[in-house]
């Protein structure tokens, strides 16, 4: 049987997402029923990039299921600092564990790792590409806060270009259908083309806005994001973008009384702390939900309850055009390509269109 990895939420079906959300909701209400479901299993968390919520919620999730954890939160403390390849690290760690959760600064790194792993790999964020388990957290939060995953006008605000949580969320919401989007960003930080193609292909309704003020009153959900400083090529390029979108109480006065404000966190200055006590601010509840979403996912992968499949790939002659793609630093990787949302050839690691 092919190994079952979660690189992108599309690796499983909308029915599976529903099942995961239903299970996560049950675990949230009855956590003691699940205390020993993963006893005897080991999860490795390999974080090549900083993390608070994702790493700790995964670790807490496994511990609350009765399993155990190994791993690193800084590759400097591992043989990566001696020059070990991703392939070798994964080959070794996957022999010690039943499941690997991995975050890496390069796009497509988890897909690359999955080629060499002896156990399932979960993508906990690969550069500016995807972050499927944050999306599971977001879907669980929306289902709790709004009671449904469709019929909403959703504002996505901030760094839509490098914000991987946005890419995964939009991809999932387009598949679910029945929502409208307002994309609120500067012209430099709009959604990548492959995500826009997914929106267009799915027929999902969207429009762009330059300010929060002009559209906040229409929104049912506002998903704020941090400007991803670490993904900019120069400090000056980041400085031009910071502080453009700030949600404060003056703007909240123009919003609906049942607006739900989400943010994957950490925040820098894009949400004023005066908003934290507003009942519409759901981001701390959202972070708490992350542990339950991850408990449901770990349980399903360990117990093999969900079908996870990977897209078909072909080998191309040239490499991916995206300089942030893992295929540029791990030179042994095959030049894998797949068909994208509109049937064109795209890098199988990072989704960048082939030249
Ligand atoms: C996000 C991430 O790492 O992509 N955080 C998270 O996982 N909760 C968002 C961010 O870093 O801005």
């Amino acid at each position: 049987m092919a190994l079952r990895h979660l690189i992108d939420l599309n690796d499983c079906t909308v029915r599976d997402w529903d099942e995961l959300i239903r299970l996560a909701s049950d675990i949230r209400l009855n956590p003691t029923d699940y205390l020993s479901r993963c006893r005897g299993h080991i999860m490795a968390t390999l974080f090549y990039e900083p993390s608070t919520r994702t790493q700790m919620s995964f670790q807490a999730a496994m511990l609350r299921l009765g399993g155990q954890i190994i791993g690193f939160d800084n590759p400097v403390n591992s043989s990566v600092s001696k020059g070990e390849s991703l392939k070798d690290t994964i080959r070794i760690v996957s022999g010690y564990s039943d499941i690997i959760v991995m975050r890496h600064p390069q796009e497509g790194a988890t897909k690359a790792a999955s080629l060499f792993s002896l156990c399932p790999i979960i993508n906990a964020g690969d550069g500016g590409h995807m972050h499927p388990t944050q999306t599971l957290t977001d879907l669980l939060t929306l289902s709790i806060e709004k009671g449904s995953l469709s019929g909403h006008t959703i504002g996505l605000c901030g760094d839509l270009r490098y914000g991987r949580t946005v890419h995964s969320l939009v991809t999932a919401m387009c598949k679910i259908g029945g929502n409208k989007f307002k994309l609120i960003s500067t012209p430099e930080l709009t959604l990548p083309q492959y995500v826009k193609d997914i929106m267009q292909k799915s027929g999902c309704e969207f429009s762009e806005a330059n300010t929060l003020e002009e559209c906040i009153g229409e929104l049912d959900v506002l998903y704020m994001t941090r400007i991803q400083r670490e993904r900019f090529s120069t400090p000056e390029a980041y400085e031009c973008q910071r502080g453009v979108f700030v949600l404060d109480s003056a703007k909240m006065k123009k919003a609906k009384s049942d607006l739900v404000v989400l943010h994957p966190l950490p925040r820098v200055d894009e949400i004023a702390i005066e908003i934290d006590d507003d009942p519409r601010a759901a981001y701390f509840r959202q972070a708490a939900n992350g542990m339950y979403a991850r408990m449901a996912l770990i349980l399903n992968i360990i117990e093999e309850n969900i079908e996870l499949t990977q897209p078909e790939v072909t080998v191309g002659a040239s490499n991916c055009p995206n300089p942030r793609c893992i295929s540029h630093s791990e030179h042994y990787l095959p030049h894998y390509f797949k068909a994208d949302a509109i049937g064109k050839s795209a890098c199988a690691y990072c989704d960048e269109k082939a030249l």
Side-chain angles (χ1 to χ4, degrees), residues 1-273:
M1 199 181 99
L3 261 181
R4 301 135 25 80
H5 309 288
L6 185 81
I7 311 297
D8 175 341
L9 263 196
N10 281 316
D11 298 342
C12 55
T13 62
V14 175
R15 251 178 86 164
D16 285 328
W17 305 349
D18 285 342
E19 174 56 25
L20 288 166
I21 291 167
R22 195 203 53 71
L23 178 61
S25 308
D26 190 62
I27 298 173
R28 181 169 165 265
L29 298 176
N30 308 295
T32 52
D33 291 355
Y34 295 86
L35 283 177
S36 54
R37 291 281 287 272
C38 285
R39 181 164 296 156
H41 288 93
I42 294 179
M43 180 180 78
T45 50
L46 305 186
F47 278 67
Y48 291 77
E49 201 182 45
S51 170
T52 300
R53 273 148 294 273
T54 306
Q55 183 183 203
M56 290 193 198
S57 65
F58 259 117
Q59 293 178 338
M62 189 53 160
L63 293 171
R64 284 182 186 277
L65 291 167
Q68 289 174 295
I69 52 171
I70 57 171
F72 57 72
D73 57 11
N74 185 346
V76 169
N77 299 330
S78 76
S79 288
V80 174
S81 63
K82 300 178 188 169
E84 186 168 64
S85 67
L86 180 66
K87 173 181 172 174
D88 288 1
T89 304
I90 294 297
R91 179 70 181 72
I92 299 304
V93 176
S94 64
Y96 300 154
S97 48
D98 302 297
I99 192 163
I100 292 179
V101 175
M102 182 181 138
R103 169 172 288 188
H104 198 283
Q106 278 167 294
E107 296 169 16
T110 16
K111 173 69 188 173
S114 73
L115 303 179
F116 309 105
S117 183
L118 304 172
C119 72
I121 299 253
I122 300 179
N123 184 2
D126 59 331
H129 183 221
M130 291 282 175
H131 193 348
T133 69
Q134 179 62 45
T135 300
L136 270 184
T137 303
D138 301 341
L139 298 181
L140 173 63
T141 305
L142 274 179
S143 76
I144 294 168
E145 300 278 334
K146 283 287 187 195
S148 120
L149 296 179
S150 48
H152 308 306
T153 300
I154 302 172
L156 300 161
C157 178
D159 191 342
L160 310 189
R161 178 174 180 194
Y162 298 120
R164 56 194 172 196
T165 65
V166 171
H167 308 159
S168 286
L169 180 63
V170 169
T171 309
M173 292 309 263
C174 286
K175 214 160 164 184
I176 291 166
N179 294 295
K180 282 197 239 169
F181 290 93
K182 275 273 170 205
L183 308 176
I184 311 150
S185 75
T186 61
E188 292 78 19
L189 296 183
T190 57
L191 279 177
Q193 192 54 45
Y194 77 89
V195 184
K196 283 190 176 157
D197 287 346
I198 292 170
M199 293 181 102
Q200 262 143 5
K201 182 79 201 297
S202 70
C204 127
E205 213 181 298
F206 69 93
S207 57
E208 296 187 323
N210 298 317
T211 65
L212 261 171
E213 288 88 336
E214 71 192 81
C215 60
I216 194 165
E218 304 164 38
L219 305 178
D220 303 306
V221 178
L222 173 56
Y223 196 93
M224 294 295 295
T225 60
R226 173 179 73 90
I227 307 299
Q228 307 278 298
R229 179 168 48 89
E230 65 277 28
R231 315 259 180 247
F232 285 80
S233 49
T234 62
E236 297 72 39
Y238 167 68
E239 285 303 325
C240 292
Q241 298 295 329
R242 69 175 294 187
V244 176
F245 300 104
V246 179
L247 182 65
D248 55 19
S249 49
K251 291 183 191 105
M252 286 297 275
K253 285 200 180 87
K254 298 185 177 160
K256 290 184 182 173
S257 60
D258 62 349
L259 172 73
V260 169
V261 180
L262 301 180
H263 190 309
L265 303 178
R267 80 172 135 186
V268 182
D269 48 16
E270 60 281 358
I271 300 184
I273 54 168

